[in-house]
Amino acid sequence: MKLLNRSLLYLSATFLIIIGVWSVIFYFNLKNEIRDSIDDGLDNNRILIIKKLEQDTSLLSQNEFGGNNFEIHQTSKQIALEFKDIYKDTLMYRINEDDLEPVRILHSAFKHKNTYYHLKVISSLVEEDDLIEDSFWSVVWLFIILIATIFIINNVILRKVWNPFYDILNLLKAYRLDKNEDLINVKTKTKEFIELQNASNTLIKHSKDVFSSQKQFTENASHELQTPLAIITNKLELLLESEDLTTADAQTIAGVIDSTQKLTQLNKSLLLLAKIENKQFANTTVLSVNDTAKEFISNFQDFITFKEITIEFVEKAILTVNIDASLLEILITNLIKNAVFHNSNKGKITLVFSEETFSIYNTGSSTALNTKTIFNRFQKEASSIKSTGIGLAVCKAICKLYTTPITYSFIKNQHCFTINFKNIIAEN
């Protein structure tokens, strides 16, 4: 939910509480004011009726309300002297209404020519249920109009105030450390947005320095480490050709060469991981996963023939993706290498291509691998002496770079790795 609408949500809840409490208070105040006004009118009518009796004594015979708003009954002196004016709410049947209607009635007593009388004066009341209903809907419409107004102000008028924030956010989303881009510069006079822009630029400067340092280290390591490792390997190979070596010495040197080659491969893999994580592979091209897999599986033909492994291609569709060519080669090669080296003799490898996914199945160990650690660095089987244990970690890093999920499953005694290329599918 956007910040503007979230603030509207809090405002709506606050206004609902405030308006609700205000409505209850307003209702009772309005009700009291209406009764005070009616009571004043009843008292005024009482005075007028008593004065009119001086001229028209026939009013003393008005013993029922009928069409009038008063009635008079003779009473005793004792009751009249003790009587105090009383205002009450009651229900009364009116001629022009179909049912009982609420009225306000005044009970009073007066003296006329040494005779005491009980006077009742009535006035219609606003029906309470009608008053509550009208007040309720008035408050509801007030609340709706108020929220609608605030929503329009938020999203039309105040949104302009937030434009610098969204500009900064969009620039941060599109910012690339590997490009020589300028710092963020959004024109704004709002103090908070200026502070946000300054903090963002400070973070960008720091990230650029770290990125540049890591990139320089990667390049230096690639050059400085590979060269001496290659020299060591060459000298050991020359030493192995010496005629004065004993069998034990030759075996020792061969072991050292194997370790050096393993170290060289490990160094290359770690440097590759560093480059991937630093997003130093920015170029993309449209490539066929089908063709790439067929091309690179031939690189392992000697191992496939030696282990008598059966290869099967299941092409449900031609899978084309936008990706860096070298990274796709590494990704496919590592998965094929994993399927070949960890396969059993006379085993089987099945490569399945669909419109969005690539899956590779292989026979091998009869138990499933640990899905929680299989893509971790240096995670390998105890029997895999020559493996660096970093191949699947590289695959995971490449998939993470392109937000293409890679998953492992164990289906019908076969190990399966599946990559979903949905996010980088090339349009035909």
Side-chain angles (χ1 to χ4, degrees):
M1 181 182 291
K2 290 185 177 180
L3 182 60
L4 287 173
N5 294 329
R6 182 173 290 277
S7 62
L8 179 63
L9 182 64
Y10 293 138
L11 284 173
S12 301
T14 304
F15 286 150
L16 182 61
I17 295 172
I18 293 174
I19 292 176
V21 174
W22 174 85
S23 300
V24 174
I25 296 173
F26 175 77
Y27 168 76
F28 284 107
N29 287 337
L30 179 63
K31 186 178 177 181
N32 290 334
E33 287 296 326
I34 291 174
R35 277 166 172 68
D36 289 342
S37 177
I38 292 174
D39 290 348
D40 291 341
L42 290 172
D43 190 54
N44 186 59
N45 286 339
R46 178 184 65 80
I47 296 171
L48 292 175
I49 291 169
I50 293 173
K51 286 184 177 181
K52 196 172 182 181
L53 284 173
E54 302 295 334
Q55 300 174 355
D56 185 6
T57 56
S58 63
L59 295 177
L60 295 172
S61 62
Q62 181 69 33
N63 303 125
E64 294 181 354
F65 287 106
N68 295 316
N69 65 338
F70 69 93
E71 65 179 26
I72 301 174
H73 299 278
Q74 190 174 340
T75 186
S76 64
K77 178 180 178 180
Q78 182 181 358
I79 294 175
L81 293 176
E82 294 177 354
F83 202 91
K84 294 182 178 180
D85 291 351
I86 300 173
Y87 298 92
K88 288 184 178 179
D89 291 340
T90 186
L91 296 174
M92 182 176 291
Y93 181 80
R94 307 301 300 274
I95 296 175
N96 59 338
E97 299 290 345
D98 295 332
D99 53 4
L100 294 174
E101 292 294 319
V103 294
R104 186 76 167 168
I105 185 168
L106 166 62
H107 294 269
S108 184
F110 67 94
K111 178 183 177 183
H112 180 70
K113 296 180 179 180
N114 296 322
T115 305
Y116 292 89
Y117 297 93
H118 178 198
L119 173 63
K120 297 179 184 179
V121 186
I122 63 170
S123 179
S124 295
L125 271 176
V126 178
E127 293 191 31
E128 193 165 342
D129 54 347
D130 290 341
L131 180 61
I132 292 174
E133 183 178 355
D134 292 342
S135 299
F136 172 78
W137 286 112
S138 297
V139 170
V140 168
W141 281 111
L142 173 63
F143 179 74
I144 292 173
I145 293 171
L146 184 62
I147 296 303
T149 303
I150 295 174
F151 180 81
I152 293 172
I153 293 173
N154 261 354
N155 289 274
V156 176
I157 300 174
L158 293 183
R159 188 178 181 83
K160 293 181 180 179
V161 178
W162 283 90
N163 279 341
F165 171 80
Y166 290 109
D167 291 340
I168 294 172
L169 185 62
N170 291 331
L171 288 171
L172 284 173
K173 287 180 179 178
Y175 201 91
R176 293 286 301 274
L177 291 175
D178 55 333
K179 302 291 184 180
N180 190 22
E181 297 183 6
D182 295 329
L183 294 176
I184 294 173
N185 184 18
V186 175
K187 293 182 179 180
T188 177
K189 296 181 180 179
T190 306
K191 179 181 177 181
E192 287 77 9
F193 295 154
I194 293 173
E195 291 181 355
L196 175 62
Q197 181 170 269
N198 292 337
S200 300
N201 285 333
T202 301
L203 181 61
I204 288 172
K205 288 178 181 177
H206 176 71
S207 299
K208 272 188 169 182
D209 292 340
V210 173
F211 176 79
S212 177
S213 176
Q214 288 181 342
K215 184 178 180 182
Q216 186 176 4
F217 167 78
T218 302
E219 293 171 350
N220 291 341
S222 178
H223 180 268
E224 298 297 332
L225 290 177
Q226 292 292 355
T227 302
L229 286 172
I231 293 172
I232 292 171
T233 302
N234 290 334
K235 288 188 175 182
L236 287 172
E237 288 175 350
L238 289 174
L239 183 60
L240 193 61
E241 295 176 359
S242 175
E243 297 179 355
D244 299 330
L245 286 177
T246 63
T247 303
D249 292 336
Q251 290 176 348
T252 301
I253 293 173
V256 174
I257 291 174
D258 289 339
S259 298
T260 305
Q261 290 176 343
K262 181 180 178 181
L263 181 60
T264 302
Q265 183 60 41
L266 178 61
N267 181 55
K268 289 180 179 179
S269 299
L270 289 174
L271 291 175
L272 176 63
L273 269 175
K275 288 182 178 181
I276 294 172
E277 291 171 352
N278 290 336
K279 298 182 179 180
Q280 292 178 233
F281 295 89
N283 299 323
T284 61
T285 185
V286 177
L287 298 170
S288 168
V289 178
N290 306 54
D291 295 340
T292 303
K294 290 177 183 177
E295 177 183 352
F296 286 93
I297 202 168
S298 62
N299 295 341
F300 300 93
Q301 192 59 50
D302 293 340
F303 294 97
I304 293 170
T305 302
F306 176 76
K307 300 182 76 169
E308 299 181 16
I309 297 173
T310 303
I311 305 296
E312 180 182 2
F313 292 91
V314 179
E315 297 183 272
K316 300 177 182 178
I318 302 300
L319 179 57
T320 54
V321 294
N322 280 307
I323 193 172
D324 184 273
S326 60
L327 291 184
L328 180 62
E329 292 174 5
I330 294 167
L331 179 62
I332 298 299
T333 300
N334 281 358
L335 289 176
I336 294 174
K337 179 181 178 181
N338 186 73
V340 172
F341 286 1
H342 297 287
N343 214 320
S344 55
N345 292 331
K346 296 184 179 180
K348 183 179 180 180
I349 296 176
T350 305
L351 294 89
V352 181
F353 306 89
S354 68
E355 292 182 353
E356 294 182 350
T357 62
F358 164 68
S359 299
I360 181 167
Y361 297 80
N362 69 275
T363 53
S365 61
S366 58
T367 56
L369 303 176
N370 189 339
T371 55
K372 294 181 179 179
T373 60
I374 190 172
F375 294 106
N376 293 348
R377 297 183 185 185
F378 309 112
Q379 184 68 28
K380 60 181 179 178
E381 295 182 8
S383 59
S384 301
I385 300 174
K386 294 185 178 181
S387 173
T388 61
I390 207 169
L392 290 178
V394 172
C395 292
K396 183 71 174 181
I398 295 172
C399 291
K400 184 178 180 181
L401 177 65
Y402 291 99
T403 61
T404 55
I406 180 171
T407 56
Y408 165 79
S409 57
F410 189 67
I411 304 172
K412 295 180 180 179
N413 289 324
Q414 291 191 85
H415 303 276
C416 174
F417 290 91
T418 300
I419 303 174
N420 189 331
F421 288 103
K422 181 179 181 180
N423 293 328
I424 56 170
I425 293 293
E427 296 182 1
N428 295 327

